[in-house]
């Protein structure tokens, strides 16, 4: 099984990236937040990887820190939460915030993450609350190319710049998404709204 990749970022889109390792391109799925922290295309990256094999698919899921990978595995172990949903949860909240929300049983906050809902949030808290103390949060500081946390709009601009958009485009799309959905919307929802406006030529 593939556990780690070190190579060049060949391509990036809204859901994942192609990493070239000595001429072989690996399609790796990342959370929206992790994707925004990847270096630009053409630069080297070192990522942790989990391989998920099913009858109809062979998928790679990438992580920038040990903590992110640990949370992914814990989420994926919750009943009725598959790898795609686990990645979706990681897209909605930074790892330290997610650990805190699960530890404190903040169902309402977790339910705001796109695709989660109240029932799933309750199940996440029920099954994971007591496991959060074992997550190695110190690994968060060793991520690749972290984005300074300075508000949702700033994070959106940084993520869009990393996808190759020009600063004026990124700033306009981020401002539009925030004004339409509000600053309280999750990063994932804001990010998708910003991408939608960019693709529509707004």
């Amino acid at each position: 099984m593939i556990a780690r990749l070190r190579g060049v970022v060949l391509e990036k889109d809204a859901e994942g990236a192609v990493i070239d390792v000595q001429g072989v391109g690996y399609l790796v799925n990342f959370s929206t937040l992790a994707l925004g922290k990847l270096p630009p295309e053409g630069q080297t990256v070192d990522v942790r990887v989990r391989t998920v094999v099913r009858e109809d698919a062979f998928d790679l899921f990438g992580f920038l820190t040990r903590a992110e990978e640990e949370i992914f595995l814990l989420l994926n172990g919750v009943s009725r939460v598959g790898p795609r949903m686990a990645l979706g949860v990681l897209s909605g909240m930074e790892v330290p915030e997610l650990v805190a929300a699960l530890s404190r049983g903040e169902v309402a906050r977790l339910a705001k993450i796109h695709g989660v809902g109240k029932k799933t949030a309750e199940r996440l808290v029920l099954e994971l609350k007591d496991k959060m103390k074992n997550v190695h949060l110190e690994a968060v500081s060793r991520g690749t190319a972290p984005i300074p946390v300075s508000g949702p709009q700033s994070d959106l601009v940084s993520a869009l710049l990393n996808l190759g958009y020009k600063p004026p485009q990124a700033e306009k799309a981020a401002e539009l998404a925030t004004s339409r959905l509000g600053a309280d919307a999750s990063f994932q929802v804001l990010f998708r709204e910003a991408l939608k406006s960019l693709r529509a030529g707004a």
Side-chain angles (χ1 to χ4, degrees), residues 27-77:
L27 177 59
V28 185
N29 300 285
F30 290 94
S31 73
T32 306
L33 292 172
L35 189 64
K37 297 175 186 177
L38 284 179
E41 293 177 2
Q43 292 193 17
T44 301
V45 69
D46 188 347
V47 297
R48 306 171 74 94
V49 173
R50 279 286 164 171
T51 307
V52 177
V53 181
R54 297 179 307 218
E55 290 184 6
D56 59 343
F58 184 98
D59 294 320
L60 300 179
F61 295 86
F63 315 95
L64 302 183
T65 66
R66 176 181 174 184
E68 187 186 9
E69 184 177 14
E70 287 180 1
I71 291 292
F72 172 82
L73 294 175
L74 289 170
L75 290 167
N76 196 32

Side-chain angles (χ1 to χ4, degrees), residues 71 93-107 109-110 125 128-133 135 137 140:
I71 291 292
M93 205 177 289
E94 292 283 1
V95 170
E97 297 177 67
L98 182 56
V99 170
L102 288 167
S103 299
R104 297 167 187 161
E106 297 176 350
V107 172
R109 189 179 180 193
L110 293 165
V125 168
L128 298 181
K129 184 176 181 179
D130 294 335
K131 297 179 180 179
M132 289 301 101
K133 59 179 177 287
V135 176
L137 281 179
V140 174

Side-chain angles (χ1 to χ4, degrees), residues 115-165:
V116 175
K118 185 179 178 182
K119 289 185 178 180
T120 301
E122 289 174 342
R123 195 160 60 248
L124 292 175
V125 168
L126 179 65
E127 298 190 32
L128 298 181
K129 184 176 181 179
D130 294 335
K131 297 179 180 179
M132 289 301 101
K133 59 179 177 287
N134 298 320
V135 176
H136 295 79
L137 281 179
E138 67 273 13
V140 174
S141 63
R142 295 196 290 272
T144 303
I147 297 174
V149 178
S150 54
Q153 192 163 316
S154 177
D155 291 347
L156 278 175
V157 172
S158 297
L160 294 169
L161 290 175
N162 276 340
L163 284 178
Y165 290 102

Side-chain angles (χ1 to χ4, degrees), residues 152-154 156 171-185 190 193-194:
Q153 192 163 316
S154 177
L156 278 175
E171 290 167 8
K172 181 180 178 182
E175 184 177 350
L176 189 59
T178 305
S179 65
R180 283 177 179 172
L181 303 177
D184 291 336
L190 289 169
E193 180 67 23

